[in-house]
Amino acid sequence: MKRLSLQWRITIMTALLTCAACVLTNCLVGYTGMRYMDAIGSDISAINAAGVDSSQAVDASEAALDDEVTIVVNDAQESFGTTTWCITAGITLLGGVLAYFVSGRALKPLRDFAAQAERVQPDNLSEIRLSEDVPTELQRCSASFNDMIGRLDEGFSAQRQFTGNAAHELRTPLALMQAQIELFVSEHPASQPQTAELLGLLQEETERMSRMTKVLLEMSELRSVPCEDDIELGPLSEEVLTDLAPLAEHKDIALNCSGGAQIIGSDTLLYRLVFNLVENAIRYSRPGSTVNVFIRDNDSHVLLRVEDQGPGIPKQYRESIFQPFFRVDKSRSRAYGGAGLGLALVWEIATLHGGTAEVESSSENGTVMLVALPKRTTAQLDR
């Protein structure tokens, strides 16, 4: 019963109540009808008996008439009972069918309410409000849901503002630290080995922190970037591969791109999405391997796949890798200069464009990252 929809529950309960009412009515009417028929039969027999002289023997024809009357009454009782039970079954079935359609119409506002709630996404909290023009039973629920959306929007806005402010405030001291370290290294070229090692470590860490604050600042400003550019994804991916060619050559990795599609979005953000995916694939691929970018489209989405030949991602981490600062192997990520924000930024950009990012497949032979972006509509194509 728990797995049934509310409409089916109402239908079944209504049908059971209708059936119970019909059975009770049938029993009462049947019992009353049987009694009246018995009474009619008795009256007929009494009338026939009264017309006969008490001193005269009972004629055989009169006895036969009484038997015929009894048979007729019994047949009428059986026919009456059968008819009432057929009527009970028919009314129950008709009541169930009517209850299904009537309850469906009555529950339509609830389905509309659920459809509106399903359209709520983290990137449209400030725009979505559920209609409060609903039945009385749902008005309080709708108002409470709108209040919750407002609180969530305020919370997300405060989080983005804090991230942006923190990243902005960190940029200046980090830049100053980098400048001072570089100046010290240039002024003291003959430093002790231990001092040189310490300075090298400081340079590496401050550079990593600078990249991290830059990505955090980009993530905090994503919502303000307009996504109205007409983008050819094939040439954009080729541009990314050209920019990452030096890094690939350093690791003796070949880069290939095939396919193309046209979508509406932010050219800057989609460039960053493809760049992060390909850069991540290059960093974790084996030397001498190949990184492939495949672009395909179907009826509703543009599919971007980035395939590497790295060590693969364990199954339990395939969703966690899109969380900020999550790294499967922290020591290797640090060695590669990763901050754990590249794939998080990919997920944010894909979500901002109404799409998804996921690990399509992964094994010890490599990983395939899949980004699905909504295809532009006919109205957009006619612009």
Side-chain angles (χ1 to χ4, degrees), residues 154-215:
E154 292 176 0
F156 279 115
S157 298
Q159 182 184 31
R160 289 192 294 267
Q161 185 176 1
F162 172 78
T163 302
N165 292 340
H168 183 75
E169 292 297 327
L170 285 172
R171 291 178 69 184
T172 301
L174 285 173
L176 181 61
M177 289 173 62
Q178 282 184 297
Q180 291 294 328
I181 293 172
E182 291 173 1
L183 179 61
F184 185 86
V185 170
S186 63
E187 291 180 349
H188 302 80
S191 301
Q192 295 293 329
Q194 293 181 346
T195 304
E197 183 179 355
L198 175 61
L199 292 173
L201 178 61
L202 288 175
Q203 281 184 306
E204 179 182 343
E205 292 301 315
T206 52
E207 183 179 352
R208 190 175 69 87
M209 291 181 67
S210 295
R211 289 197 300 269
M212 186 187 306
T213 55
K214 180 182 178 182
V215 175

Side-chain angles (χ1 to χ4, degrees), residues 268-286:
T268 303
L269 294 183
L270 289 177
Y271 175 90
R272 185 67 173 176
L273 180 147
V274 179
F275 186 96
N276 283 6
L277 287 175
V278 176
E279 182 186 35
N280 194 71
I282 293 172
R283 291 186 182 279
Y284 288 94
S285 288
R286 302 181 183 91

